[in-house]
Amino acid sequence: MNIATTAHGKSSKGGWNAAIFIILVEVAQQFAFYGLASNLIMYLTNVLDQPLAAAAKNVTTWLGVSSVFPVLGAFLADSYFGRFKTIVFSVAIYFLGTVLLTLSVSVIPSQRRRAVFFVALYILSVAQGGQQPCLQTFAADQFDENTPEEIKAKSSFFNWWYLGFVFAATSATLGVVYLQDNVGWGLGFGILAGVLLVSLVSFLLGTKRYRKQRPPGSPFTTVAQVLVAAARKWHVTETLNCENVYYGDEKGEGQLQGQSQPVVLARTNQLRCLDKAMIIDELDASTEPRNPWRLCSLNQVEEVKLVLRLIPLWLSCLMFGVIQVQHNTFFTKQSSTTILSIGPHFKVPPASLQGLSGIAILITIPIYDRVFVPIARKYTGHPSGITVLQRIGTGLVLSILVMVVSALVEAKRLNIAKDYNLIDKPKAIVPMRVWWLLPQYLILGLAYAFATVGLQELFYHQMPEQMRSMGAAALYCFKKPKTKKKKFNPKPKKKPTELKTIKIKFDNTTIISF
């Protein structure tokens, strides 16, 4: 393998010089996604005149589909195309989807606008399936796991990666949403297309800097082979020793360009029922070549163990995904019923309040990476200051605190609504300042900074190298769960709500329902 090297013998590929190009693509992709998702329900209800129930169903269905496609994209990237080609193809499709989206809200005739808009929307879902699981994994691949300096750089990388993610989401939520509401939807979506085009060009400019991985084949085949081989040898009673264990013939297939050698896993004592898959019995010893559905290598068995051990962790974090979705649904709907005016001429768009969590993350992550980690490292001796599981646990505790605070604020809002006889008027503005919601947004930002970054790092390091895109896809599956339709029911059967104009004086401000 020919690898370009510097004068000191170190590979010129990879590292921060390569990762920065990939981070720019992630920033652009998240800018485009949040520039659309944050305000999508407002476009469906205000421009396409959809009922609130139908609009909410369409938004959550689109988010759900967008969360499933990364699994398919990760499988194709890990098995056939490789991460680099998958990213190029998906970014190009994403750009074309945003162009079609822009045309649908500007030049497409009104009678065809709805159909074209939804076609463009689901083109973005398909493209997102290729980007989401591959971008972070491909960027992390640029750091050599066999070099101590790059191991520390990789740990820091996950912090700065998420910082770029949040910067993009916050910028879109504050800037693009305002343009959509106050200038025009065509300009708002057009900006998203322009940013994606710039990111695609910059990504291609860094092509010669990347460490690339040849797809090793379907990762599910390895899992199936180990399970089948272990099942076929359930009757084997031999104990494991150096002589009867199959170690395989590791030749570096699927190895990263610039990496010195593939990772060799040590044998563990967990899930020992799978160890029978690597025992060489009499039949295996007399068979040449080996049957991969009867005899698997030590590395194959340990890789399957890694995957199975992650399942309980993944399940335990599902509720964190439920809390995350409140950010885009309940919190936004909650804020839309409060006083959003700042001064006599400016009114905050409800969706833009999501940027408060982003601001909290933008402040927290640099402090965490540059202040907390060096101090904690002196006491714990851990390269990352604290372990990944400790970081995730801290984020989960903060997420519980978020729901406690939001419940108290909601109780306060309902009491005020009750005092003004607004309980049965869901569109009425409650005489309560929006800043009551500030604590729950800020605490949620802290929870993101700990739990989300920790989960990304955990699933990258603990997944087998050829399945890391699948690990990233698993995270995206629970980040945007569907909400229940019962929360959006503008037509109750027993007591229909009459839409009236209600005027209430509060702090010399006239509050009018709409």
Side-chain angles (χ1 to χ4, degrees), residues 279-474:
I279 294 178
I280 303 174
D281 62 8
E282 294 180 358
L283 181 58
D284 295 323
S286 61
T287 303
E288 191 68 30
R290 75 175 179 93
N291 181 358
W293 294 92
R294 200 176 190 284
L295 180 63
C296 301
S297 68
L298 170 64
N299 253 28
Q300 286 180 286
V301 173
E302 291 301 327
E303 285 172 353
V304 173
K305 288 183 181 181
L306 286 174
V307 175
L308 295 179
R309 285 199 295 263
L310 281 175
I311 293 176
L313 290 170
W314 183 79
L315 292 174
S316 66
C317 293
L318 286 177
M319 286 307 298
F320 183 67
V322 175
I323 294 173
Q324 282 182 294
V325 82
Q326 309 306 315
H327 200 211
N328 301 94
T329 55
F330 175 69
F331 287 4
T332 300
K333 199 65 183 174
Q334 190 182 35
S335 63
S336 68
T337 64
T338 62
I339 301 174
L340 294 165
S341 57
I342 300 177
H345 304 295
F346 182 76
K347 184 178 180 181
V348 180
S352 291
L353 290 173
Q354 298 171 33
L356 294 173
S357 296
I359 293 172
I361 297 170
L362 292 174
I363 295 173
T364 302
I365 287 184
I367 295 175
Y368 179 90
D369 189 73
R370 297 301 179 187
V371 179
F372 174 77
V373 171
I375 294 175
R377 189 181 293 153
K378 293 179 181 179
Y379 292 96
T380 64
H382 195 278
S384 301
I386 57 176
T387 66
V388 176
L389 291 179
Q390 289 171 337
R391 183 171 187 173
I392 295 172
T394 302
L396 294 180
V397 171
L398 288 171
S399 68
I400 295 172
L401 182 60
V402 169
M403 299 313 296
V404 171
V405 172
S406 62
L408 294 175
V409 173
E410 178 64 6
K412 173 73 174 178
R413 191 186 73 87
L414 291 176
N415 286 335
I416 295 176
K418 184 178 180 181
D419 293 339
Y420 285 87
N421 296 320
L422 300 176
I423 289 292
D424 295 325
K425 300 176 177 62
K427 292 189 176 182
I429 302 300
V430 176
M432 175 181 177
R433 293 290 179 183
V434 71
W435 304 121
W436 279 88
L437 305 180
L438 181 63
Q440 65 197 56
Y441 277 104
L442 295 181
I443 299 172
L444 184 58
L446 294 177
Y448 282 147
F450 280 88
T452 304
V453 180
L455 284 168
Q456 290 173 350
E457 186 172 356
L458 176 72
F459 273 73
Y460 178 85
H461 286 296
Q462 296 302 314
M463 287 293 286
E465 188 173 313
Q466 68 271 25
M467 296 182 66
R468 282 173 173 169
S469 297
M470 291 298 301

Side-chain angles (χ1 to χ4, degrees), residues 15 36 65 79 133 162 174 190 211 219 250 273 292 309 331 343 390 393 411 429 454 471 512:
L36 171 62
V65 171
S79 304
Y162 194 62
L174 296 177
R211 289 179 177 136
E250 305 296 344
C273 59
R309 285 199 295 263
F331 287 4
Q390 289 171 337
I429 302 300
I512 305 176

Side-chain angles (χ1 to χ4, degrees), residues 3-16:
I3 301 172
T5 57
T6 64
H8 300 285
K10 183 179 178 180
S11 172
S12 61
K13 292 180 178 291
W16 278 109

Side-chain angles (χ1 to χ4, degrees), residues 152-165:
K152 289 184 179 180
K154 179 179 284 190
S155 179
S156 180
F157 155 78
F158 285 98
N159 290 321
W160 293 100
W161 173 273
Y162 194 62
L163 187 71
F165 173 103

Side-chain angles (χ1 to χ4, degrees), residues 233-307:
K233 294 182 179 178
W234 65 271
H235 60 281
V236 174
T237 58
E238 298 179 41
T239 58
L240 289 172
N241 55 62
C242 295
E243 295 180 356
N244 68 349
V245 171
Y246 180 65
Y247 293 96
D249 182 18
E250 305 296 344
K251 296 181 180 180
E253 287 83 357
Q255 181 182 345
L256 293 176
Q257 296 178 12
Q259 298 271 12
S260 58
Q261 59 184 4
V263 177
V264 178
L265 301 176
R267 181 175 171 268
T268 60
N269 291 322
Q270 296 173 316
L271 299 171
R272 285 178 291 180
C273 59
L274 298 179
D275 290 347
K276 294 184 178 183
M278 59 182 170
I279 294 178
I280 303 174
D281 62 8
E282 294 180 358
L283 181 58
D284 295 323
S286 61
T287 303
E288 191 68 30
R290 75 175 179 93
N291 181 358
W293 294 92
R294 200 176 190 284
L295 180 63
C296 301
S297 68
L298 170 64
N299 253 28
Q300 286 180 286
V301 173
E302 291 301 327
E303 285 172 353
V304 173
K305 288 183 181 181
L306 286 174
V307 175

Side-chain angles (χ1 to χ4, degrees), residues 109-132:
S110 57
Q111 62 270 22
R112 298 180 181 178
R113 182 167 298 177
R114 182 179 303 225
V116 175
F117 180 83
F118 279 102
V119 168
L121 206 60
Y122 283 94
I123 287 176
L124 297 182
S125 293
V126 175
Q128 200 165 326
Q131 290 184 99
Q132 281 189 335

